[in-house]
Amino acid sequence: MLIIAGLGNPGSKYAGNRHNIGFMAVDAIQRRPSFSSWSKKFKAEISEGEIAGERVLLMKPQTFMNLSGEAVGDAMRFYKLGPKDIVVIYDELDLPAGKARIKTGGGHGGHNGIKSIDAHCGKDYRRLRLGIGHPGVKDLVHAHVLGDFAKADQVWVSPLLDAIADNADMLVRGEDSQLMNKIALATGGKASEEKPQAAKKQPAQSHIHQARNAAQPKKLPATGPMAEMLKKMFGSKGD
């Protein structure tokens, strides 16, 4: 069994916040076939279903962000699972808007929801971070995170969430690099960045070859000391 927990804050007041993109991601997965309606358990909204032959529990902790670990930890212990059986989806300030990264373990990066899950579940769970961009000034971070996505953001928010839901089987099977490629393509990026080809370098030439290839005077002397010297250096056409 796999737990996929999206992080956010409960209530309509926060529903459109950037901080709630984790809730939005599991909502998108839940709308796909095979998942039950949302119900309440483990201090969370939960939905059970199956992806790629694996039983999956979707979770939206209702404890508010800072206590997210209470809900996820309760579910983990109830089903006798470990951190390796958990995927957490959440917002990341330090990623450009629309970018995604996934890894197992790591630090909390100042994210209070992740701090709580680390405390209740351990650190070796998979983390799917969804970039919401940084406002550029520390004093604006709080308002940015708890502000709603703008209408203009929907050009990447909707494709991002759809890509996660459409390719949730990759998330379940641990095909992380393939999932990142799908997300990148859906949000207008490239699956694999190609480095521009460097201009081919001409083979290195000796000073003599360079002299031979240099622009020649319009007319070389045919007689005299200079002509004899050139003949000895380069030879005549018949050599």
Side-chain angles (χ1 to χ4, degrees):
M1 184 178 184
L2 185 71
I3 294 174
I4 301 178
L7 302 191
N9 288 310
S12 58
K13 176 182 177 181
Y14 303 102
N17 286 182
R18 295 178 180 88
H19 214 24
N20 272 40
I21 197 169
F23 274 14
M24 297 173 193
V26 292
D27 277 335
I29 297 172
Q30 189 270 341
R31 286 193 291 269
R32 268 47 184 181
S34 89
F35 279 92
S36 66
S37 300
W38 291 107
S39 60
K40 293 186 177 181
K41 193 175 182 178
F42 309 119
K43 303 177 186 175
E45 289 189 357
I46 65 168
S47 174
E48 294 188 57
E50 186 177 295
I51 300 175
E54 183 87 12
R55 186 181 174 196
V56 174
L57 179 73
L58 301 177
M59 294 189 71
K60 294 190 293 182
Q62 299 295 292
T63 53
F64 285 91
M65 183 69 80
N66 295 4
L67 300 176
S68 298
E70 292 183 5
V72 180
D74 283 353
M76 182 185 76
R77 287 182 288 275
F78 180 85
Y79 291 108
K80 296 179 173 60
L81 303 174
K84 65 181 178 58
D85 304 307
I86 298 172
V87 178
V88 179
I89 307 176
Y90 61 100
D91 58 299
E92 176 57 78
L93 265 174
D94 293 329
L95 280 178
K99 300 296 182 182
R101 296 289 184 273
I102 190 166
K103 67 175 181 177
T104 298
H108 54 71
H111 194 289
N112 289 328
I114 296 302
K115 282 183 186 178
S116 179
I117 293 177
D118 285 354
H120 287 269
C121 304
K123 296 184 177 182
D124 295 328
Y125 54 90
R126 287 164 67 213
R127 305 152 190 243
L128 176 53
R129 299 177 293 144
L130 306 180
I132 60 169
H134 195 289
V137 180
K138 186 177 180 180
D139 291 346
L140 298 178
V141 165
H142 186 266
H144 177 75
V145 168
L146 294 181
D148 287 355
F149 284 111
K151 287 184 179 179
D153 291 326
Q154 293 307 315
V155 298
W156 63 265
V157 173
S158 294
L160 171 66
L161 299 177
D162 286 342
I164 292 169
D166 290 342
N167 300 286
D169 56 323
M170 295 179 178
L171 186 63
V172 169
R173 288 195 295 261
E175 297 171 352
D176 294 345
S177 60
Q178 294 93 321
L179 177 61
M180 293 300 98
N181 282 343
K182 292 287 187 180
I183 290 174
L185 290 171
T187 54
K190 294 182 180 179
S192 56
E193 296 293 335
E194 295 182 3
K195 295 181 180 179
Q197 291 184 347
K200 291 184 178 179
K201 292 183 178 180
Q202 296 296 326
Q205 295 181 336
S206 68
H207 296 304
I208 292 178
H209 277 95
Q210 290 178 38
R212 286 177 173 174
N213 292 332
Q216 299 292 325
K218 290 183 179 179
K219 187 176 181 180
L220 294 175
T223 58
M226 181 62 75
E228 290 298 320
M229 183 182 73
L230 292 172
K231 186 175 180 181
K232 287 178 181 179
M233 288 179 63
F234 301 112
S236 65
K237 291 183 180 180
D239 287 347

